[in-house]
């Protein structure tokens, strides 16, 4: 790679970075929009199925106790006090909200993992090309002439 192609690559990479933020915001908005019907579906299912309703109420109550204890520790209040449970409707609403947030978080986490893997594969390919280029230079090959001879062995063009 010549220094010119490297700088062109860096400029292209910078443009990609500038495009990421608006796409990220749009993606976040889309995921939040898609999570609302999921939360509504959870509320609807809770109204029809007693076991499911009890399960999500238990989840919401556990989350409520955990978050209340964490808040009390952060603010320096006593943590050995009894925490009043949420009423059933608030618990169902809290569970639906929690499910929506977990959906958003899991999609964002999956997207982050995908991007990190894609980026690392790209960096590995670039590093391999740099290594090959250095190896060719060490052996006295002109990279451009070598590549050209690979494409047109008879003429070198």
């Amino acid at each position: 790679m010549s220094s010119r192609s490297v700088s062109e690559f860096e400029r292209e990479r910078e443009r990609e970075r500038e495009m990421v933020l608006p796409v990220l915001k749009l993606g976040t908005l889309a995921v939040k929009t898609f999570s609302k019907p999921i939360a509504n579906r959870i509320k609807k299912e809770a109204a029809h199925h007693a076991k499911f309703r009890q399960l999500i109420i238990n989840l919401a109550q556990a989350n409520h106790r955990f978050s209340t204890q964490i808040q009390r520790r952060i603010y320096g209040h006593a943590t050995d006090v009894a925490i009043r449970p949420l009423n059933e409707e608030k618990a169902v609403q809290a569970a639906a909200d929690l499910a929506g947030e977990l959906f958003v978080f899991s999609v964002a986490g999956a997207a982050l993992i995908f991007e990190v893997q894609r980026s690392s594969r790209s960096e590995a390919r670039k590093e391999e090309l740099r290594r090959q280029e250095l190896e060719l230079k060490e052996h006295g090959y002109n990279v451009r002439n070598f590549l050209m001879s690979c494409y047109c062995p008879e003429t070198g063009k």
Side-chain angles (χ1 to χ4, degrees):
M1 269 187 197
S2 69
S3 62
R4 184 170 182 247
S5 63
V6 170
S7 64
E8 287 174 2
F9 176 76
E10 288 172 354
R11 277 183 263 151
E12 181 180 327
R13 192 76 167 154
E14 186 62 33
R15 281 185 293 232
E16 287 176 1
R17 285 187 197 122
E18 290 172 359
M19 292 291 293
V20 168
L21 189 58
V23 171
L24 183 66
K25 286 181 180 180
L26 184 62
T28 303
L29 181 61
V31 169
K32 285 182 180 180
T33 302
F34 291 135
S35 69
K36 288 179 184 178
I38 292 170
N40 290 336
R41 178 68 184 219
I42 289 172
K43 287 183 224 174
K44 186 186 286 186
E45 291 298 319
H48 297 296
H49 303 287
K51 287 183 181 180
F52 180 68
R53 182 179 183 84
Q54 192 57 48
L55 173 73
I56 65 169
I57 287 173
N58 291 341
L59 275 169
Q61 296 293 5
N63 184 52
H64 171 67
R65 283 189 302 274
F66 177 74
S67 62
T68 303
Q69 286 175 346
I70 295 295
Q71 285 176 349
R72 292 187 69 78
R73 283 188 185 132
I74 288 172
Y75 295 123
H77 300 295
T79 58
D80 59 348
V81 297
I83 298 171
R84 284 181 287 154
L86 299 170
N87 67 38
E88 279 193 20
E89 289 308 310
K90 283 186 180 179
V92 169
Q93 176 65 41
D97 292 342
L98 179 63
E101 289 175 16
L102 287 175
F103 178 73
V104 170
F105 183 75
S106 62
V107 169
L112 179 67
I113 290 168
F114 173 77
E115 179 59 28
V116 167
Q117 288 178 342
R118 187 189 68 77
S119 178
S120 67
R121 283 191 303 265
S122 174
E123 287 298 319
R125 280 192 301 262
K126 286 190 288 185
E127 187 59 35
E128 179 63 22
L129 286 173
R130 284 187 209 115
R131 188 191 62 73
Q132 288 175 358
E133 183 179 337
L134 286 173
E135 197 173 284
L136 288 172
K137 283 183 181 180
E138 285 175 1
H139 295 315
Y141 288 111
N142 181 326
V143 176
R144 184 168 187 252
N145 290 340
F146 177 75
L147 291 175
M148 292 300 275
S149 68
C150 289
Y151 289 114
C152 301
E154 302 86 30
T155 62
K157 294 183 179 181

